[in-house]
Amino acid sequence: MRTMRALVLDGPGKAVITDVPAPVAGPGQVVVDVHRAGVCGTDGEFFNGHMAYLVSGQASYPLRPGHEWSGTVSSTGDGPEAAWLGKRVTGDTMLGCHQCERCWRGRQHICENRYEVGVLGGWHGAVAEQVMVPASSLHALPDTVGDSAGAMVEPGGNSRRAAESAQLTPGSRVAVFGPGTIGLLAAAFARSLGAEVHVIGRSLPGLQLARDLGLTAWAADELPALRFDAIIDGTDGPDVPSAAVDLVEPGGRIICVGLAGRPSLIDTRQLVLKDLTVIGHLSGSPAMAATIAAYADGSVDPDPLVAATVALDRAPDVLAGWRPDDAGAGPKIHIDPRR
């Protein structure tokens, strides 16, 4: 039996690189040689044992994380999926059952019986030398989208979708809470739509990175008296939605992408009296193609958000909070399993 190296989480704080059976593509499936895999907050929550799916029993150890990735298709099943062989790709995290009404309506990301690559349902993730996924989940990467940007399509889809839902037009003023990966990408997409963008947060390095990227950024306790047409919450702060209700203009929109560790409390009377629209987004699935197009034409550049790319052997250290001494200012660390 052929094996490969992969990151395996055996319990809270227990992460190892070990040999596992290499995937074999069945009908409708492909195997991808992984070139880049991003480590995100969800992976960190699995590592520390706080991830909501662990608490609810929907996920359990051992598990193999990694849902932000890019690579090249190295083998396929015998059907139409063989056309993907040799192509550079990334893929959707959300794998619906394809049998329910939600899937039929193109909403597989909220399918009740979905898998999530590296997250839910035991579908192995991409912090490994190879990952197997359904061919139906693939998105081709043009030559103008490199491996690093390809692994930023999944988080970029969340951010692109948030910016679209804010219904921004040239001259709209939008506040983006959270200078992390999702927040900074959302700010970049909002700027590409012609909006006046203000990034708000508590992380001084994150705020400085936002400024270095040409964005206006404010510490949360130093925000001037501005009103906003829309607000995007890309944080895990339970108090941010309430602050957003206070800040947004009547008739405005609040887009919630982040997940807090405890319930967020808002005054629903204010939602009515200010005629507000509040939207929650679970996934970037509906916006992945648009995200690739934006990366390809240069209107959004995700590469400055990647601080470093390290070998697979360092993945457990990254989960534990390690950053290379020469890492840049970006919030994201990538793994290159070929190293």
Side-chain angles (χ1 to χ4, degrees), residues 32 39 44 70 88 90 103 105 118 149 156 164 175 177 179 190 195 213 241 249 292 294 305 324:
V32 178
V39 177
S70 66
R88 294 180 59 250
T90 188
C103 287
R105 295 170 63 189
E164 289 177 342
F177 277 83
L213 295 173
E249 279 284 281
I292 293 171
L305 304 190

Side-chain angles (χ1 to χ4, degrees), residues 4-27:
M4 67 170 186
R5 295 188 306 149
L7 173 65
V8 179
L9 303 184
D10 288 319
K14 298 178 180 179
V16 296
I17 303 298
T18 189
D19 288 337
V20 299
V24 177

